[in-house]
Amino acid sequence: MDEDLRIVDAHHHFWDLEGPISYPWLESGEHLWLGDYSRLQRSYLPAEYRRDTALHHVVATVHIEAECDRSQQLAETEWLTRLAAETGMPNAIVAHAWVDTPNAEDIIADQAANPLVRGIRTKPVIAAGPDQSVQGEKRSLQDPAWRRGLGLLTKYNLSWDLRVPWYHLEEAAEVCREHPGLRIVLNHTGYPLDRGKQQLGVWKRGMEALASCPHVWCKISGLTVKGKPWTLQVNGSVIRETIGMFGVDRCMFASNYPVDGVKASWDWIFCQFKYVTAGLPDEDRQKLFADNALAFYRLNPPAKP
């Protein structure tokens, strides 16, 4: 289906569990909300990614930091840079750095010095659920030191990958409004993990608040709902509403692979993205699948076939 449609995968991960980089979350069970992710507890590298994407025209990829041991955040970037030189991917890196530690600027400067690094993903502390609160905690969305620290990303011409679940989106919009010069992209469609009517209402208010900020973009990915399959019956309306709120100029499709592989194959996910957008003009589809990611992450457009 649409075999020639160019794709820039705006969000994926690699890890080598036999290498020197450690990924504690893969061992701890921290992400059990995903369901059974035992299939993730093995190395995932470019050769397998290419097999997973073989039926599609992927022209570039963006690697997002994979929650390695935080003492190895620079080492992860260096490893990915060597991987790119050896295999041709990834084409851009979103690295990790805290923005509120005493050495934050040093780490950010070192990350920014890498020619593949385009942005930083630094995650605020989040509540375990919508009925709980972390307000006032260090590194929460209300922490003044953390909020000020985001300004370092602007200083070093780096974007911010924002990842919070649906019940923190309105708070996140407040933070985004404090940094109008910072290029920001929301990860994983705002994580609408609960599709109840009330919960979707909260998600939509938060998404509208973020979409009202012209410097905030959105990745459509991470559409994993516990106990439900990855189908358009489950995810189609969320995809369409997200595009409706942010517009075709500020959305980009992404696989979140291999993590979203707990629900579906890479091929299945992108076939559904193609199907749900089949009625859009070709120009709009090309923005959603490739051009917006190229622009946001400052990648040179690949030659058209």
Side-chain angles (χ1 to χ4, degrees):
M1 181 179 179
D2 295 323
E3 293 88 350
D4 294 331
L5 181 62
R6 295 186 311 153
I7 293 171
V8 174
D9 189 346
H11 194 117
H12 74 90
H13 310 284
F14 291 135
W15 49 72
D16 182 358
L17 299 189
E18 297 179 2
I21 310 298
S22 174
Y23 303 89
W25 70 275
L26 282 171
E27 304 167 3
S28 68
E30 178 185 344
H31 288 56
L32 284 175
W33 55 267
L34 286 167
D36 178 14
Y37 69 88
S38 59
R39 74 188 71 184
L40 302 181
Q41 295 174 313
R42 58 181 178 78
S43 298
Y44 189 78
L45 296 166
E48 185 170 356
Y49 180 90
R50 285 195 167 96
R51 290 194 296 271
D52 286 337
T53 63
L55 298 178
H56 301 262
H57 186 38
V58 177
V59 297
T61 77
V62 181
H63 186 282
I64 312 302
E65 62 89 17
E67 297 189 22
C68 70
D69 181 313
R70 294 315 190 195
S71 69
Q72 298 180 302
Q73 54 196 338
L74 290 170
E76 181 189 41
T77 301
E78 292 164 1
W79 172 69
L80 288 165
T81 302
R82 292 194 297 272
L83 197 67
E86 294 165 2
T87 70
M89 66 170 56
N91 305 94
I93 298 170
V94 174
H96 181 269
W98 297 122
V99 296
D100 59 340
T101 57
N103 67 341
E105 184 161 5
D106 292 339
I107 297 296
I108 290 168
D110 285 344
Q111 296 284 31
N114 186 300
L116 289 183
V117 171
R118 300 293 194 274
I120 294 293
R121 182 163 76 164
T122 188
K123 300 175 186 174
V125 170
I126 61 172
D131 56 345
Q132 300 183 43
S133 175
V134 292
Q135 287 202 14
E137 290 190 19
K138 177 179 170 58
R139 204 169 281 157
S140 69
L141 287 164
Q142 290 77 32
D143 180 2
W146 184 83
R147 290 167 77 138
R148 284 195 303 271
L150 289 173
L152 290 170
L153 305 186
T154 307
K155 178 178 178 180
Y156 288 91
N157 194 29
L158 296 169
S159 58
W160 177 34
D161 266 57
L162 162 65
R163 200 207 75 170
V164 293
W166 55 277
Y167 46 87
H168 280 301
L169 296 177
E170 288 186 273
E171 299 169 76
E174 295 177 6
V175 177
C176 293
R177 284 191 283 268
E178 288 185 358
H179 297 276
L182 177 59
R183 299 190 314 279
I184 301 169
V185 60
L186 175 67
N187 288 185
H188 305 329
T189 335
Y191 263 147
L193 301 172
D194 190 327
R195 302 295 172 82
K197 183 177 180 181
Q198 180 180 356
Q199 290 78 7
L200 280 174
V202 174
W203 168 79
K204 187 172 182 179
R205 287 200 305 273
M207 293 290 277
E208 288 173 340
L210 285 164
S212 72
C213 303
H215 60 301
V216 179
W217 300 38
C218 183
K219 292 182 191 179
I220 300 176
S221 60
L223 295 168
T224 55
V225 181
K226 191 172 183 179
K228 294 186 178 181
W230 205 121
T231 65
L232 287 183
Q233 184 177 5
V234 174
N235 293 324
S237 61
V238 167
I239 294 170
R240 288 187 287 267
E241 286 189 49
T242 298
I243 295 172
M245 288 183 277
F246 282 84
V248 296
D249 292 317
R250 288 191 290 144
C251 288
M252 58 189 85
F253 287 122
S255 71
N256 193 32
Y257 235 67
V259 178
D260 281 15
V262 300
K263 288 292 182 181
S265 69
W266 197 102
D267 173 66
W268 172 265
I269 291 170
F270 266 83
C271 280
Q272 305 317 297
F273 289 157
K274 290 177 178 181
Y275 185 86
V276 79
T277 60
L280 295 178
D282 289 345
E283 181 182 358
D284 289 350
R285 297 181 83 214
Q286 194 58 70
K287 289 177 180 179
L288 294 166
F289 282 93
D291 292 348
N292 291 344
L294 291 171
F296 186 88
Y297 287 113
R298 294 173 290 142
L299 286 164
N300 293 323
K304 293 185 179 182

